[in-house]
Amino acid sequence: MEEMSILITSEAKKELDKLLENSDKKCIRILTRCITMTSNAKIDIELDNPNENDNLYDVDGYKIIINKSLDSQMNYITISYGGLLSRNEFCVEADFCFYY
């Protein structure tokens, strides 16, 4: 199994620092939301603590946790903040291993 590649942009790091500063949770969880038959899964983040079903990655000093079954489906992840499509919010993009 190849190592997960995770990129966090500098803007996202600034916002993550603000979130982590005010939270007792020290890890950033990558998860999916809105999985329905008609819409694509949206990949999102939230602050959380790891459990035994997670893989833990250290990315530039940030602790990233991903559920092992979700992790096995993704090749790489980019966490960004702001931009044209996601002003004032995080945007998480991932490359999934399977194709439709």
Side-chain angles (χ1 to χ4, degrees):
M1 184 176 136
E2 59 188 76
E3 182 67 23
M4 171 69 72
S5 173
I6 302 173
L7 172 74
I8 306 173
T9 66
S10 54
E11 283 302 312
K13 288 177 183 176
K14 289 179 199 164
E15 297 301 321
L16 287 171
D17 288 342
K18 292 179 198 171
L19 290 176
L20 289 164
E21 198 176 294
N22 300 313
S23 175
D24 57 340
K25 297 184 168 78
K26 297 298 171 214
C27 296
I28 300 149
R29 176 175 298 283
I30 294 182
L31 66 158
T32 56
R33 300 188 194 280
C34 312
I35 301 176
T36 66
M37 295 303 282
T38 55
S39 71
N40 292 331
K42 177 179 182 333
I43 304 164
D44 209 347
I45 60 172
E46 67 183 21
L47 299 184
D48 200 1
N49 292 317
N51 62 53
E52 69 277 359
N53 297 321
D54 293 328
N55 288 335
L56 174 65
Y57 298 97
D58 189 300
V59 181
D60 302 329
Y62 295 90
K63 292 185 175 14
I64 306 288
I65 49 178
I66 309 172
N67 176 278
K68 288 176 184 171
S69 65
L70 178 61
D71 192 358
S72 69
Q73 299 172 41
M74 297 191 285
N75 287 328
Y76 68 82
I77 297 168
T78 303
I79 301 170
S80 57
Y81 185 86
L84 290 174
L85 297 176
S86 57
R87 291 186 202 282
N88 303 320
E89 63 181 51
F90 288 98
C91 178
V92 184
E93 295 175 74
D95 181 27
F96 283 88
C97 303
F98 52 82
Y99 299 96
Y100 298 101

